[in-house]
Amino acid sequence: MTERRPNRTLGPDHDTFWAYCNQGEFRLQQCNTCSKIQWPPTPMCNECLSDEFTWTPMSGRATINTYCTFERPYYKECPPPWEAILVELEEGPLFMSNPKGFSVEGKERGTPVKVTFLDCEDDAGPFKLPVFELAD
Amino acid sequence: MANRVVEHDRLKKLKDTVAVVGVGESDYVGDYRSGAKGNAAEKGSGALNSYQLAATALKRALDDAGLTKDDIDGLVVGGPMSTERTCEVLGINASWCVSGDAPRGIIAAVQAINAGLCHTVALVYGNAQRSMNTQYGGPQAMGGDGILSYVYYAPWGMTSQGGLYSMMFRRHQLVYGTTEEQLGAVSVAFRKHASMNPNAIMKERFTIEDYMNSRYISEPFHLFDYCLINDGGVAFIIQRRDMANGKQIPINISGIGWSEMDIDSTQLRPRLKDFYLPAHHAVREQVYPMAGYGPKDVDVYATYDSFSTHLLFSLEGFGFCEPGEGGAFIQDGRIEIGGEIPCNTSGGMLSESYMQSWNHQPELVRQLRHQYAGTEREVKGAEVGQYVHDVAGKCLSVIYTRGN
Ligand SMILES: [Zn+2]
């Protein structure tokens, strides 16, 4: 089943991120010079000012940093109660997402999760959205 | 990490060179209750405009100071107003003019006055945000243009300030075991203060039980953790200290500090991983040594409070208590008038008026003038006041002291 979602930010670099997602791959920009991983996509490395990146596969392993539950509707596509989680990727970046197959209620920080993809669509068409499920 | 510039000798030269000599604001209550039968004004009514609100506040600040608009040679403009149009509407031919929030405006004006670019600066703010139905979350948040860091996360349903700050408090809960009941002390205290303030919009007191029974907006935040959305204007006048006419007791600007944490801000790392503590610490190292005071000397305190949790984090960051102890620290009336460190004594943005850093400044000035002497609102013998501005990509602070 395809879920309707609020619009993504699209454009150069953003399109590349979503194109990998659509292949079921979770890749982020990594600087060719200093190795810093950037998220969200950026035109230039803010560590060393290089503009040469490789889209590096992330392991998909992460831990829960924090979360909240919206009880007021902000988007018609996201009816309350709507849970958002911030996870810390094994590689370092913090990634805003949603839980899949579990509720955040009572979850401890550091709870291990792993990336999976949800079939979604917005005004620009169908896409795969990275979300997180509990790791075994 | 936040940049740390520590230049005590240079800062100290600016100490007490500039003073606040006049304050004023619009009628928050009257403008809010302008709907039918005294109900709250409808959002998007277009009834008020920002320039008119700013003009009302400025006239009152000039009267308070015993000055006329022709005494003003510098202007700081806050809210959704242009500097050019503001100067035109107010009839001021400034020699110096910038845009900014209240603390950025104060720091810029202290510099400009010391540089000899102007002598007497009016800082004015007007915001008809309720009449204009300004949105701070969802598809139209701040124009919907991705101005705010979290707007990128729309596909995951997360674009609101309340979402961000409720996640920040949740993180504090997960790390330190802080409870919602503990956080409730903030909105209970600010509402109590508002109940003593005739110009506060929300005056009805409530208890911790009422707080706990109120609905969640973004759990763990309840309704009462959120600020108001209302129209209003604020103005104050700061002047070279040696030019003050003496109509009011001048309130000196004795300390200033500023630090930002912008790297990885879209990931929300500075707040959701670091609690903004490195920036708090950097500002502490400027504002306290410049003023010659520390947190133990502060008699009356105010923090930016779009959400209750701002107070918890700023008290920890500025050394009133240790990181993690904030939940316990704010209990038992400690942050209320009559307590050890009265905070947001006008009711703040949670209960007085959502003036986005502007309404806190007149309140600190009046407390230090002892203008509420003999009333329940008085912070007795207040000599040192501090404002902390800790929101979005910045932390600033101003310390005021009572002159003589
Ligand atoms: Zn680099």
Side-chain angles (χ1 to χ4, degrees):
Chain A
M1 208 184 78
T2 300
E3 276 192 35
R4 184 77 195 179
R5 291 291 179 118
N7 289 330
R8 293 163 287 165
T9 300
L10 298 174
D13 299 323
H14 304 296
D15 291 346
T16 312
F17 171 75
W18 292 108
Y20 280 117
C21 287
N22 290 345
Q23 298 170 31
E25 293 180 43
F26 188 48
R27 295 185 184 230
L28 299 184
Q29 278 174 312
Q30 185 167 29
C31 175
N32 288 352
T33 306
C34 77
S35 300
K36 181 173 176 181
I37 296 168
Q38 299 284 343
W39 171 250
T42 180
M44 189 183 78
C45 175
N46 63 1
E47 187 71 29
C48 72
L49 307 191
S50 161
D51 58 4
E52 306 262 316
F53 295 102
T54 299
W55 285 87
T56 303
M58 299 291 106
S59 71
R61 286 189 291 272
T63 53
I64 292 178
N65 172 292
T66 186
Y67 47 85
C68 70
T69 306
F70 293 101
E71 297 289 350
R72 167 201 188 284
Y74 283 91
Y75 293 98
K76 61 181 185 316
E77 301 90 342
C78 307
W82 184 264
E83 297 186 336
I85 54 173
L86 185 78
V87 303
E88 183 165 354
L89 303 181
E90 189 173 60
E91 294 83 0
L94 299 173
F95 197 92
M96 184 65 69
S97 191
N98 303 122
K100 185 181 177 235
F102 73 100
S103 167
V104 296
E105 202 170 331
K107 286 285 172 293
E108 301 284 340
R109 77 191 160 100
T111 300
V113 290
K114 63 181 185 210
V115 78
T116 183
F117 292 91
L118 209 58
D119 288 323
C120 294
E121 68 169 352
D122 63 10
D123 289 349
F127 67 99
K128 287 188 190 297
L129 182 76
V131 294
F132 287 80
E133 59 189 4
L134 291 175
D136 305 322
Chain B
M1 285 294 109
N3 269 316
R4 291 186 179 215
V5 176
V6 181
E7 287 277 6
H8 293 156
D9 292 343
R10 285 179 176 270
L11 277 175
K12 276 180 187 158
K13 284 182 192 149
L14 303 184
K15 180 186 173 182
D16 299 344
T17 55
V18 169
V20 184
V21 297
V23 297
E25 59 271 285
S26 62
D27 297 313
Y28 302 141
V29 180
D31 291 339
Y32 188 78
R33 297 285 168 204
S34 62
K37 298 179 186 163
N39 287 329
E42 265 181 53
K43 288 186 177 173
S45 72
L48 293 167
N49 90 47
S50 300
Y51 293 99
Q52 168 196 350
L53 292 160
T56 299
L58 178 64
K59 273 193 261 182
R60 291 173 181 176
L62 286 169
D63 286 349
D64 186 57
L67 296 172
T68 72
K69 77 176 175 65
D70 297 330
D71 295 313
I72 302 300
D73 51 26
L75 203 70
V76 174
V77 177
M81 304 189 298
S82 80
T83 53
E84 185 180 36
R85 178 70 180 144
T86 304
C87 290
E88 180 184 22
V89 168
L90 302 178
I92 291 169
N93 278 315
S95 102
W96 177 88
C97 190
V98 296
S99 293
D101 56 41
R104 284 195 279 197
I106 291 166
I107 290 175
V110 167
Q111 295 167 338
I113 289 169
N114 274 282
L117 293 172
C118 47
H119 300 138
T120 306
V121 177
L123 297 93
V124 296
Y125 167 91
N127 196 344
Q129 55 194 329
R130 189 174 184 91
S131 291
M132 305 306 292
N133 201 18
T134 307
Q135 296 294 307
Y136 294 100
Q140 297 306 318
M142 305 298 280
D145 294 320
I147 297 167
L148 298 171
S149 49
Y150 44 77
V151 170
Y152 195 78
Y153 302 123
W156 293 275
M158 161 63 205
T159 68
S160 82
Q161 292 269 25
L164 164 61
Y165 286 96
S166 69
M167 282 189 160
M168 192 176 178
F169 179 64
R170 175 67 84 197
R171 170 98 180 146
H172 200 271
Q173 292 186 290
L174 296 174
V175 174
Y176 297 116
T178 315
T179 66
E180 288 175 26
E181 287 92 334
Q182 287 179 321
L183 182 65
V186 176
S187 50
V188 168
F190 291 7
R191 182 60 64 87
K192 184 177 171 186
H193 296 160
S195 75
M196 307 168 186
N197 173 4
N199 203 25
I201 289 173
M202 295 294 172
K203 293 193 186 68
E204 196 179 332
R205 294 190 187 190
F206 56 82
T207 64
I208 287 286
E209 290 69 40
D210 298 330
Y211 168 85
M212 290 303 291
N213 289 331
S214 69
R215 64 190 161 95
Y216 286 119
I217 305 293
S218 172
E219 188 184 350
F221 275 178
H222 294 258
L223 175 66
F224 294 135
D225 293 306
Y226 280 68
C227 68
L228 309 169
I229 298 288
N230 66 284
D231 299 330
V234 181
F236 47 98
I237 294 161
I238 70 177
Q239 193 168 42
R240 217 174 75 188
R241 175 72 175 81
D242 59 352
M243 298 174 80
N245 64 18
K247 183 183 176 202
Q248 301 287 357
I249 292 162
I251 302 303
N252 295 324
I253 294 170
S254 302
I256 53 177
W258 187 334
S259 186
E260 308 219 351
M261 288 176 73
D262 301 318
I263 304 300
D264 287 342
S265 56
T266 307
Q267 284 183 24
L268 309 175
R269 183 179 298 278
R271 294 202 178 272
L272 297 186
K273 185 83 177 174
D274 301 325
F275 292 144
Y276 234 70
L277 285 172
H280 295 164
H281 291 171
V283 174
R284 259 165 84 170
E285 288 175 25
Q286 297 168 331
V287 72
Y288 288 137
M290 175 178 169
Y293 295 109
K296 290 211 161 31
D297 304 305
V298 175
D299 300 308
V300 55
Y301 184 87
T303 183
Y304 191 90
D305 58 331
S306 45
F307 301 98
S308 56
T309 196
H310 286 284
L311 180 68
L312 186 83
F313 287 105
S314 76
L315 290 174
E316 291 185 357
F318 278 79
F320 291 86
C321 61
E322 291 301 310
E325 293 178 355
F329 182 82
I330 61 179
Q331 305 306 307
D332 304 320
R334 187 179 261 132
I335 58 173
E336 295 178 10
I337 294 171
E340 197 178 301
I341 177 74
C343 298
N344 293 32
T345 54
S346 70
M349 306 196 307
L350 293 185
S351 286
E352 183 195 30
S353 183
Y354 179 39
M355 296 289 99
Q356 299 175 322
S357 74
W358 290 80
N359 55 316
H360 304 87
Q361 317 309 322
E363 174 65 9
L364 288 173
V365 167
R366 291 185 180 119
Q367 287 287 7
L368 295 174
R369 283 180 182 171
H370 301 170
Q371 202 164 323
Y372 306 129
T375 72
E376 59 176 353
R377 194 173 166 191
E378 173 188 20
V379 176
K380 285 200 177 66
E383 299 280 335
V384 179
Q386 181 174 15
Y387 173 68
V388 170
H389 190 74
D390 171 33
V391 62
K394 57 195 173 293
C395 179
L396 292 79
S397 185
V398 176
I399 288 180
Y400 298 99
T401 60
R402 180 182 163 90
N404 41 40

